Amino acid sequence: MNQVAVDMREIRKSYNGTRALNDISVHIHQGELFGFIGPDGAGKSTLFHILTTLLLPDAGTALVGGFDTVREYGKIRRIVGYMPGRFSLYQDLTVEENLKFFAGIFKTTIAENYHLIKDIYGQIEPFKNRRAGQLSGGMKQKLALSCALVHKPEILFLDEPTTGVDAVSRKEFWEMLQRLKAQGITIIVSTPYMDEAALCDRVALMQKGDFMAINTPEVIVANFGYRLFAVKSALMYPLPAALEAMPDTKAVYRFGDAVHYLNTHEDKSAEDIIRHLQVHGHNEVTVNQVNPTIEDCFMLLMKKEETADANT
Amino acid sequence: MKGFVLKEFLHIFRDRRTMLILFGMPIVQVLLFGFAITNEINNAQIAILDESKDEMTLAITDKILSSGYFHLASVLTDRNQIEPAFREGVIKEVVIFEPNFSQRFGKENQAHMQIITDASDPNTANLLYNYTNAIIRDYTSKSTQLATPPIQIGIETTMQYNPELKGVFMFVPGTITILLMLISAMMTSISIAREKELGTLEVLLVSPLKPWQIIIGKVIPYILLSFINAVIILVLAYSVFAMPVRGSLVLLLLESILFIVMALSLGIFISTVSKTQQQAMMLSMFVLMLPTILLSGFIFPIENMPLPLQIISNINPSRWFIIIIKNIMLKGLGFGYFWKETLILVAMALFFVAMSVKKFNIRLSK
């Protein structure tokens, strides 16, 4: 494929003896929209800090844009745009002052790269004289993205850009990312929201400092390998326990307003499940076979890791 | 770089608290130190117990009361009244003449007076005694010419550089030092720690900015503002308290800038070792404020300190700066008299600049 934007090999990082990153490797291609998906504490931010040269790994090497994150950090800092997890702009400066400042430290001007941010900055430009601290969550996000983009970076690092942002703004935000990608910028994003995985070209599912899978969302879903049932009953609370009791149960977990159920036997049908539950005193049982999502894949992979951990 | 300095100014001007500390505090402090904390005596309340009431005691009483330093609060008639008079708390001193004062003086060539002062405040008591004593001695030296003069040694005292022993002369140099130290060091350390705390430093680090550029950008606004502050304090001292600047004003300002730079680099150094604004503030307070006040010779003379403290005071930059400004303002001395102190400040400034550039993390410290 294309040239490599990020080449990370066997990166390890510990804090006070606790492993945050567990000898993990990943390749990200130029022009790709790549997502690190995982819950809080999976190690996403640590990974971003290492890739943006803010932290030194304990072991392993990482190249960003072809430069080593340890030795050539200065060169990397010129070509990347970084948007940290929490809002890190100057709250007491206005929208325009913030943007001007960040353009200034990269020795460029707003006018020079206006075409790049027009799409995003245009939406908050009417409020350009408002203090950044008084913006809504969605607008703050747009401003932060504008500031990270204003110097025309080759690679854009967005650490949980949509955390704490409303659903509409999240959707808008991803649309903006797609348009930026079309301009040839490599975009590396982390998120705890599984539903956002489908919007990435490729994703890495992260859990406790490990990658459980790295692939396109489609392939990950296609590799699910089990029939997935969404189960509902009049008594939702004891439902998972009742399902666990079925023979050859693979996994049971709450999913939205239903409980998702997997059985190791291919031929287990919805009727089998209904019958089992009725024996255990559940009424109004509905069982539907559904298509797995990334979140289902994540739950299953997590389960696998746990059993693997337990066995070792 | 220009953008950075501009940004820093905006931070300062938009934050009301910062502005208050920057410009309110110097004025309040100078006025406070100048007016409230004073060693001078004006209209001290005294009582007189005159047991002879002859022409001599009346003349002395008259002289004491007309000096302007004392005000007669009550006339006592009995020694038993002295104790209650002090207890009331108004009277600070009682002057007592023995019976047959001028008779004795005529016969024995000596008579006795007693001065009792309220020494619950030892400094004031001492001052009152000295003032009264001086007045009486002045009287006797004139009146003894009538009688056979005993052998006398006339002592003429001159309080060099500050003949009226004005407290302001002592406090202004100290106040300038404290304020420059506090504003320069504390404000910069807090402003850098704030960037750490809010996460903006993360973004600054992932940019082509070099550590020294961030530091210089931070420091320039504070150099300017601290300098303006120093000028405000000097103008106040000059106009309100008639504090002279006997030496070169240019030299004084240059030395102030040197001290400001030193304090700023100290502030940056503090911020490199603290993670939060709060930590930076506490460190500044303990590391800077207390030694500046207590160990600089501002309030307590260094020569009177125990040896270990004297040695410690050597690493206190304020100590050297106070010597320099006293030399310029009060003694009107030239550079030749304090080049050593200046050199020490330069060395300290260089040391802290080097330390902070070295300690300033190019990455996140975790």
Side-chain angles (χ1 to χ4, degrees):
Chain A
M1 267 181 93
N2 297 327
Q3 243 185 304
V4 175
V6 172
D7 180 0
M8 191 174 100
R9 286 166 201 220
E10 304 279 314
I11 287 287
R12 179 194 303 169
K13 181 76 189 174
S14 308
Y15 294 125
N16 305 325
T18 332
R19 277 286 170 84
L21 297 177
N22 221 343
D23 303 316
I24 50 178
S25 310
V26 69
H27 285 243
I28 298 171
H29 308 296
Q30 233 168 43
E32 204 172 16
L33 174 48
F34 192 95
F36 290 98
I37 320 278
D40 291 348
K44 302 188 300 291
S45 288
T46 305
L47 183 63
F48 270 55
H49 281 154
I50 287 175
L51 291 179
T52 52
T53 74
L54 285 172
L55 273 183
L56 296 174
D58 296 340
T61 57
L63 301 182
V64 173
F67 301 116
D68 186 275
T69 52
V70 178
R71 282 179 288 108
E72 298 168 298
Y73 67 90
K75 286 176 182 158
I76 294 176
R77 288 176 184 190
R78 265 169 232 282
I79 59 160
V80 302
Y82 171 50
M83 185 172 147
R86 57 195 172 134
F87 182 66
S88 298
L89 299 176
Y90 298 103
Q91 315 244 4
D92 52 343
L93 299 190
T94 66
V95 169
E96 195 182 20
E97 283 162 354
N98 264 300
L99 192 59
K100 259 193 186 149
F101 172 70
F102 283 103
I105 61 175
F106 282 94
K107 295 197 174 69
T108 176
T109 58
I110 298 177
E112 203 170 314
N113 290 314
Y114 192 76
H115 63 280
L116 206 61
I117 57 168
K118 188 180 68 188
D119 188 30
I120 305 151
Y121 184 57
Q123 299 177 35
I124 48 173
E125 214 168 3
F127 311 101
K128 67 181 182 183
N129 291 321
R130 197 184 281 190
R131 304 262 168 100
Q134 289 159 0
L135 295 176
S136 71
M139 291 206 285
K140 276 183 184 168
Q141 226 58 13
K142 282 169 195 159
L143 176 58
L145 183 60
S146 304
C147 289
L149 268 177
V150 72
H151 63 284
K152 199 171 191 259
E154 290 173 26
I155 305 168
L156 191 57
F157 286 93
L158 309 172
D159 193 5
E160 300 205 7
T162 52
T163 301
V165 175
D166 65 90
V168 178
S169 298
R170 266 172 66 190
K171 191 164 163 287
E172 269 180 19
F173 195 84
W174 277 95
E175 283 163 8
M176 287 187 284
L177 293 189
Q178 299 292 352
R179 283 195 290 270
L180 285 174
K181 194 197 129 192
Q183 306 221 27
I185 298 174
T186 308
I187 301 170
I188 299 169
V189 70
S190 77
T191 176
Y193 301 118
M194 305 285 165
D195 55 321
E196 291 180 347
L199 303 166
C200 300
D201 293 339
R202 284 196 309 148
V203 296
L205 299 187
M206 264 187 106
Q207 164 74 359
K208 289 182 185 158
D210 274 315
F211 293 142
M212 299 187 297
I214 301 173
N215 220 317
T216 63
E218 296 77 25
V219 172
I220 289 178
V221 170
N223 287 344
F224 188 66
Y226 293 94
R227 287 171 79 185
L228 177 66
F229 297 99
V231 186
K232 287 185 190 178
S233 117
L235 293 165
M236 286 304 279
Y237 182 69
L239 188 57
L243 287 166
E244 286 280 7
M246 264 182 89
D248 301 321
T249 294
K250 177 71 189 170
V252 178
Y253 49 88
R254 292 180 177 281
F255 193 98
D257 57 351
V259 172
H260 277 187
Y261 178 76
L262 308 175
N263 196 290
T264 39
H265 283 290
E266 269 295 307
D267 52 353
K268 269 279 188 296
S269 67
E271 285 71 40
D272 296 332
I273 299 170
I274 293 174
R275 217 172 301 127
H276 169 83
L277 286 176
Q278 279 168 346
V279 170
H280 284 76
H282 281 268
N283 319 315
E284 297 171 44
V285 177
T286 58
V287 176
N288 294 311
Q289 189 175 343
V290 291
N291 289 325
T293 64
I294 288 283
E295 187 164 353
D296 291 302
C297 302
F298 195 93
M299 300 304 275
L300 186 62
L301 288 165
M302 219 166 80
K303 187 114 188 149
K304 272 186 191 160
E305 295 247 318
E306 273 165 21
T307 41
D309 282 350
N311 291 343
T312 51
Chain B
M1 200 61 193
K2 215 174 71 191
F4 205 108
V5 174
L6 191 75
K7 177 211 98 176
E8 214 51 48
F9 268 121
L10 287 175
H11 283 322
I12 297 169
F13 291 139
R14 296 237 166 110
D15 186 13
R16 223 173 282 152
R17 263 187 311 171
T18 313
M19 283 299 277
L20 203 68
I21 294 179
L22 268 178
F23 293 105
M25 205 165 69
I27 295 169
V28 172
Q29 282 227 13
V30 170
L31 294 181
L32 262 184
F33 273 130
F35 281 123
I37 309 167
T38 154
N39 283 339
E40 295 150 49
I41 290 171
N42 282 315
N43 284 324
Q45 303 289 328
I46 62 165
I48 286 179
L49 171 56
D50 191 344
E51 291 174 317
S52 66
K53 288 216 168 66
D54 52 39
E55 81 278 6
M56 227 172 155
T57 61
L58 288 178
I60 293 174
T61 307
D62 209 41
K63 215 166 154 62
I64 291 174
L65 294 180
S66 62
S67 67
Y69 300 119
F70 302 102
H71 182 258
L72 185 62
S74 61
V75 176
L76 309 179
T77 50
D78 195 290
R79 281 185 181 256
N80 294 330
Q81 292 171 327
I82 295 172
E83 186 76 30
F86 272 122
R87 276 200 205 132
E88 273 172 40
V90 182
I91 289 163
K92 300 290 175 213
E93 181 182 70
V94 177
V95 180
I96 304 159
F97 297 96
E98 65 174 346
N100 309 322
F101 190 85
S102 67
Q103 263 179 326
R104 279 197 179 199
F105 200 80
K107 254 189 256 163
E108 303 163 27
N109 211 3
Q110 83 172 8
H112 291 98
M113 283 179 72
Q114 191 180 7
I115 297 170
I116 305 174
T117 54
D118 177 359
S120 52
D121 176 355
N123 284 332
T124 315
N126 221 344
L127 274 169
L128 285 170
Y129 162 72
N130 283 328
Y131 276 50
T132 320
N133 201 19
I135 292 167
I136 295 165
R137 210 178 307 149
D138 185 51
Y139 174 82
T140 44
S141 71
K142 278 173 190 156
S143 55
T144 42
Q145 288 163 358
L146 313 171
T148 28
I151 305 161
Q152 278 196 349
I153 300 168
I155 301 169
E156 194 165 311
T157 321
T158 306
M159 296 295 169
Q160 188 76 21
Y161 306 124
N162 185 3
E164 292 155 77
L165 289 177
K166 277 196 185 172
V168 184
F169 285 20
M170 177 184 151
F171 284 115
V172 166
T175 316
I176 295 182
T177 314
I178 291 184
L179 286 173
L180 291 187
M181 192 66 153
L182 197 71
I183 288 165
S184 314
M186 194 162 92
M187 299 304 256
T188 35
S189 67
I190 288 178
S191 94
I192 294 183
R194 182 173 55 192
E195 301 240 6
K196 271 192 199 176
E197 206 177 308
L198 296 180
T200 43
L201 195 66
E202 252 179 72
V203 187
L204 290 185
L205 285 176
V206 188
S207 81
L209 282 179
K210 302 248 168 18
W212 65 266
Q213 286 174 310
I214 297 178
I215 289 176
I216 298 280
K218 278 270 163 208
V219 154
I220 286 179
Y222 286 100
I223 290 186
L224 272 171
L225 293 174
S226 305
F227 184 70
I228 292 172
N229 253 317
V231 172
I232 291 178
I233 298 170
L234 285 178
V235 168
L236 264 181
Y238 180 78
S239 57
V240 181
F241 302 110
M243 170 104 184
V245 180
R246 298 206 173 96
S248 153
L249 186 64
V250 179
L251 193 59
L252 180 62
L253 294 180
L254 284 177
E255 293 278 357
S256 302
I257 292 176
L258 171 64
F259 186 67
I260 290 169
V261 171
M262 196 288 312
L264 288 172
S265 42
L266 185 56
I268 294 163
F269 180 66
I270 288 176
S271 72
T272 55
V273 294
S274 45
K275 275 191 185 134
T276 61
Q277 294 183 63
Q278 189 122 36
Q279 214 179 345
M281 199 162 87
M282 294 309 276
L283 259 177
S284 308
M285 281 291 196
F286 285 114
V287 177
L288 303 179
M289 274 296 274
L290 294 180
T292 306
I293 295 176
L294 301 177
L295 285 181
S296 63
F298 165 32
I299 293 177
F300 307 111
I302 289 169
E303 303 80 58
N304 298 352
M305 291 176 189
L307 192 62
L309 284 184
Q310 285 193 34
I311 293 168
I312 293 173
S313 80
N314 281 329
I315 58 164
N316 183 0
S318 312
R319 172 187 176 170
W320 307 110
F321 185 60
I322 286 182
I323 294 177
I324 293 173
I325 39 180
K326 276 188 176 166
N327 276 344
I328 299 179
M329 292 183 81
L330 299 178
K331 300 188 184 171
L333 297 178
F335 187 66
Y337 289 91
F338 44 80
W339 61 270
K340 264 188 248 161
E341 284 81 3
T342 309
L343 209 63
I344 292 173
L345 285 185
V346 171
M348 284 179 169
L350 288 178
F351 173 75
F352 286 121
V353 168
M355 283 299 279
S356 22
V357 171
K358 194 167 164 249
K359 281 228 70 173
F360 194 90
N361 230 320
I362 52 160
R363 302 176 200 275
L364 291 182
S365 42
K366 266 189 200 168

